């Protein structure tokens, strides 16, 4: 079976919870983490007789999302009812925008690697962005016979970003989701925490033979909330559909499927509905909203510096490499930590190195997100100054950095309490270097014969004698004099 004769065609619907305090049509809290059904009221539980009141902040954040995705903002928007019956939807309909979405015809630029491993850009075109209310959450598995419903999420304001079918690989999908996440976090639209469900993706997948114009049968995989699962689901579904077309082992139908991460397979949930199945009609209780140009301009003026703008500034202002600047600006929180640390220590290159190497490694090992990290930038800056001032060496500094990260330790106090101050007495270090060289005549011969790698063993010997506190710059200089001279 030749998979190379086929291409995958995908469109994505991304649901993003907006960074607001209250729900779309009531004053209940929209914050994550409450006890089940704690943030509910008769309105968001779908009780009759309650008039919805639109959250203005949600509309403003949707406009921001449109601006950062180069979309056209509507002059007038309306809301509609999308009718379907499911336990997590208490009213029996979802308030959304079908006839007059707030944004249309946008585009998001992504960077991908071509076959020659060169970076290329591609525009992912957007059909629309619309505002809607979230449904509740079904909780399965408490026991085998019962599922429960948590309505805290019901009524939380979302935007849904609907792309055109412009994706041809899982790499493009990942690049797009990462770019959306960056744009929305920097603009303050959403925290986009996929593990908390505030950013979820529905992937519409079809395959066709290369050269065909007609799209294949579209299968939707719902509510994907991790990049790893999305990649695995796309690759699995691509192979499943090609095998079905090639062998006739199953008939492809338009349907919605769910992804099982443990089994690494997709399973059918239901046949895919069309728009007519939802019986959209205008929501008579939510009045149309006019969006004057002045309002849009005010929101545009309030937009903060975005990631690509910050990247360019970091290179120019701090003389960073493109690589370092890209890593620092991929995450808003990390970029803020960098600038704050640099303000205190005055050395952007050192600040970048400690954050990119040490901090990110510690965060990764903890299995945490950088957005959730609290660390005192003054203490990081104090540590950097101690290294640059030859008060401590870098191995000791790494130990102290971890203490700052985990225990909020004060670097100056920790250095004194643990006697980590660096030994810079040249006479003392000279004697230790003499002993190291005298104790390894074979190493000296190897160095003299051109094996410079053994130099590190001499440094290590001195550091052990000095219990890791020797000034490595002085040690390196003394050893070089000895080994390059006549011993």
């Amino acid at each position: 079976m030749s998979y190379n004769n086929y291409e995958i065609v995908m469109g994505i619907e991304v649901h993003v919870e907006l960074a607001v305090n209250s729900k779309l049509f009531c004053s209940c809290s929209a914050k994550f983490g409450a006890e089940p059904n704690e943030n509910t009221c008769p309105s968001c539980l779908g009780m009759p007789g309650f008039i919805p009141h639109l959250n203005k902040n949600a509309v403003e954040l949707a406009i921001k999302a449109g601006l950062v995705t180069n979309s056209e903002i509507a002059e007038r928007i309306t809301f509609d009812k999308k009718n379907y019956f499911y336990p997590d939807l208490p009213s029996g309909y979802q308030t959304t925008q079908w006839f007059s979405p707030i944004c249309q015809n946008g585009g998001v630029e992504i960077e991908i690697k071509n076959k020659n491993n060169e970076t290329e850009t591609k525009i992912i075109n957007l059909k629309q962005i619309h505002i809607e209310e979230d449904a509740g959450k079904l909780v399965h598995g408490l026991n085998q016979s019962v599922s429960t419903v948590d309505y805290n999420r019901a009524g939380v304001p979302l935007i849904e970003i609907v792309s055109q079918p412009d994706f041809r690989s899982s790499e493009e999908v990942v690049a797009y989701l990462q770019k959306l996440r960056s744009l929305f976090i920097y603009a303050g639209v959403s925290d986009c925490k996929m593990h908390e469900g505030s950013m979820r993706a529905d992937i519409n997948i079809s395959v066709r033979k290369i050269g065909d114009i007609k799209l294949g049968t579209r299968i939707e995989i719902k509510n994907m909330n991790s990049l790893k699962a999305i990649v695995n689901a796309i690759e699995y579904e691509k192979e499943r559909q090609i095998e079905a077309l090639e062998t006739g082992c199953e008939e492809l139908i338009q349907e919605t499927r769910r992804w099982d991460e443990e089994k690494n397979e997709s399973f059918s949930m239901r046949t895919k509905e069309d728009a007519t199945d939802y019986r959209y009609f205008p929501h008579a209780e939510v009045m149309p909203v006019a969006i004057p140009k002045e309002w849009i301009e005010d929101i545009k003026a309030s937009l903060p510096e975005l990631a690509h703008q910050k990247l360019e500034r970091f290179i120019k202002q701090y003389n960073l490499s493109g690589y370092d600047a890209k890593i620092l600006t991929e995450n808003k929180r990390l970029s803020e930590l960098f600038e704050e640390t640099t303000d205190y220590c005055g050395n952007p290159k050192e600040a970048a190195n400690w954050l990119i190497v040490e901090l990110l490694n510690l965060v990764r090992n903890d299995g945490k997100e950088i957005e959730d990290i609290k660390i005192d930038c003054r203490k990081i800056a104090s540590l950097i100054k101690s290294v640059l001032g030859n008060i401590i060496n870098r191995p000791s500094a790494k130990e102290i950095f971890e203490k700052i990260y985990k225990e909020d330790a004060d670097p100056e106090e920790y250095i004194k309490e643990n006697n980590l101050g660096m030994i810079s007495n040249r006479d003392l270090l000279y004697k230790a270097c003499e002993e190291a060289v005298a104790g390894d005549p074979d190493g000296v011969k190897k160095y003299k014969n051109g094996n410079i790698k053994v130099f590190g063993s001499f440094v290590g010997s001195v550091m052990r004698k000095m219990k890791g506190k020797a000034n490595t710059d002085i040690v390196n200089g003394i050893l070089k004099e000895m080994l390059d001279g006549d011993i």
Side-chain angles (χ1 to χ4, degrees):
M1 186 184 307
S2 177
Y3 292 95
N4 294 331
N5 294 334
Y6 290 84
E7 71 171 348
I8 190 168
V9 180
M10 293 175 287
I12 302 180
E13 298 162 6
V14 181
H15 297 82
V16 172
E17 288 185 1
L18 298 173
V20 294
N21 293 321
S22 57
K23 295 186 179 182
L24 189 57
F25 294 113
C26 68
S27 59
C28 290
S29 172
K31 297 301 181 183
F32 176 82
E35 291 297 315
N37 297 303
E38 179 181 340
N39 296 333
T40 57
C41 72
S43 177
C44 57
L45 287 176
M47 302 293 183
F50 288 88
I51 303 300
H53 297 277
L54 180 61
N55 186 331
K56 180 182 178 183
N57 191 23
V59 178
E60 290 180 337
L61 292 178
I63 293 172
K64 279 188 176 182
L67 291 171
V68 299
T69 56
N70 306 300
S71 300
E72 300 169 4
I73 314 298
E75 296 179 359
R76 178 180 180 274
I77 61 172
T78 59
F79 288 85
D80 311 293
K81 291 184 178 182
K82 177 182 180 180
N83 297 275
Y84 65 94
F85 294 93
Y86 208 62
D88 61 4
L89 195 66
S91 63
Y93 63 85
Q94 180 186 35
T95 302
T96 184
Q97 292 185 297
W98 176 254
F99 298 107
S100 300
I102 191 166
C103 308
Q104 289 182 298
N105 303 325
V108 175
E109 185 178 88
I110 62 172
E111 292 185 350
I112 52 174
K113 297 287 187 180
N114 61 21
K115 294 179 180 179
N116 299 321
N117 204 34
E118 298 170 335
T119 300
E120 293 182 345
T121 59
K122 177 177 179 177
I123 300 294
I124 302 299
N125 295 291
L126 305 183
K127 179 185 177 185
Q128 67 185 53
I129 299 175
H130 57 265
I131 305 170
E132 62 186 23
E133 59 180 353
D134 206 348
K137 180 182 180 181
L138 286 172
V139 182
H140 308 289
L142 297 179
N143 60 56
Q144 293 183 348
S145 60
V146 175
S147 292
T148 59
V149 189
D150 181 0
Y151 287 117
N152 279 340
R153 207 169 64 184
V156 169
L158 300 171
I159 52 171
E160 181 175 347
I161 305 96
V162 183
S163 81
Q164 298 290 0
D166 288 348
F167 299 93
R168 297 296 181 269
S169 69
S170 56
E171 291 80 9
E172 291 180 4
V173 171
V174 169
Y176 170 74
L177 292 174
Q178 289 175 331
K179 184 62 176 286
L180 273 188
R181 187 173 185 272
S182 173
L183 288 171
F184 292 160
I185 290 176
Y186 269 90
V189 171
S190 172
D191 61 21
C192 292
K193 293 181 178 179
M194 297 187 79
H195 61 286
E196 291 183 2
S198 59
M199 184 177 184
R200 314 187 292 274
D202 300 341
I203 316 292
N204 293 288
I205 305 173
S206 67
V207 297
R208 65 184 177 189
K209 285 194 173 182
I210 294 174
D212 285 355
I213 298 175
K214 184 179 179 181
L215 294 173
T217 302
R218 176 168 57 92
I219 282 87
E220 180 183 41
I221 302 184
K222 294 284 287 185
N223 291 331
M224 308 292 290
N225 63 358
S226 83
L227 296 179
K228 179 182 177 182
I230 287 169
V231 171
N232 290 340
I234 289 171
E235 297 304 319
Y236 171 86
E237 193 61 27
K238 175 184 177 182
E239 292 185 10
R240 185 187 75 87
Q241 292 185 33
I242 292 174
E243 184 177 2
L245 293 174
E246 284 283 296
T247 67
C249 61
E250 65 174 305
E251 180 185 1
L252 295 179
I253 59 171
Q254 185 173 312
E255 62 178 338
T256 298
R257 300 176 71 89
R258 68 175 178 86
W259 178 249
D260 189 315
E261 286 196 61
E262 292 185 3
K263 296 182 178 179
N264 212 40
E265 296 180 44
S266 68
F267 294 90
S268 181
M269 294 172 60
R270 59 182 180 270
T271 56
K272 176 62 180 172
E273 299 89 349
D274 289 313
T276 52
D277 296 317
Y278 292 119
R279 294 173 289 115
Y280 288 95
F281 61 86
H283 197 316
E285 294 173 335
V286 183
M287 298 299 292
V289 178
I291 304 179
K293 292 181 179 179
E294 294 78 12
W295 191 14
I296 297 173
E297 290 302 317
D298 287 344
I299 294 173
K300 184 185 292 187
S302 72
L303 283 174
E305 186 179 43
L306 300 178
H308 64 279
Q309 298 166 333
K310 195 180 289 288
L311 185 148
E312 293 179 3
R313 179 170 65 81
F314 277 15
I315 293 172
K316 293 178 181 177
Q317 180 177 341
Y318 298 115
N319 198 29
L320 295 178
S321 69
Y323 175 81
D324 285 354
K326 190 174 190 302
I327 293 177
L328 290 170
T329 56
E330 281 177 347
N331 184 282
K332 183 182 179 184
R333 173 65 174 152
L334 186 61
S335 71
E336 292 169 345
L337 292 174
F338 164 73
E339 293 216 82
E340 188 176 351
T341 303
T342 298
D343 285 344
Y344 290 130
C345 75
N347 193 311
K349 183 59 180 174
E350 284 289 328
N353 286 340
W354 282 96
L355 294 175
I356 291 172
V357 178
E358 300 302 327
L359 180 62
L360 290 184
N361 187 52
L362 289 168
V363 172
R364 195 179 300 114
N365 289 341
D366 269 359
K368 295 181 179 179
E369 299 289 331
I370 190 69
E371 292 91 345
D372 301 326
I373 297 303
K374 293 182 179 179
I375 191 166
D376 193 332
C377 293
R378 287 186 180 88
K379 292 179 179 179
I380 299 175
S382 174
L383 181 65
I384 291 172
K385 289 179 179 178
S386 295
V387 173
L388 297 178
N390 290 324
I391 296 172
I392 55 172
N393 57 28
R394 290 187 181 272
S396 297
K398 288 184 178 182
E399 173 189 333
I400 298 168
F401 189 95
E402 187 171 355
K403 294 293 182 180
I404 296 172
Y405 170 78
K406 292 185 175 180
E407 303 172 14
D408 194 31
D410 182 280
E412 294 182 7
E413 293 179 4
Y414 192 86
I415 291 168
K416 292 177 182 177
E417 291 171 1
N418 294 275
N419 193 26
L420 293 177
M422 194 153 56
I423 298 172
S424 297
N425 184 300
R426 185 175 176 83
D427 292 338
L428 190 61
L429 294 178
Y430 193 93
K431 182 179 179 182
C433 290
E434 276 187 324
E435 293 175 357
V437 170
D440 188 6
D442 289 338
V444 173
K445 288 180 181 178
K446 290 177 182 179
Y447 183 85
K448 293 288 188 180
N449 290 328
N451 185 356
I452 61 174
K453 291 182 179 179
V454 298
F455 186 86
S457 66
F458 291 110
V459 176
S461 177
V462 175
M463 294 302 289
R464 285 190 292 273
K465 291 177 186 296
M466 296 290 104
K467 297 182 179 180
K469 296 187 290 182
N471 185 321
T472 52
D473 290 339
I474 297 176
V475 169
N476 287 337
I478 294 172
L479 286 172
K480 192 159 181 59
E481 289 175 10
M482 289 181 176
L483 294 169
D484 289 343
D486 294 328
I487 300 176

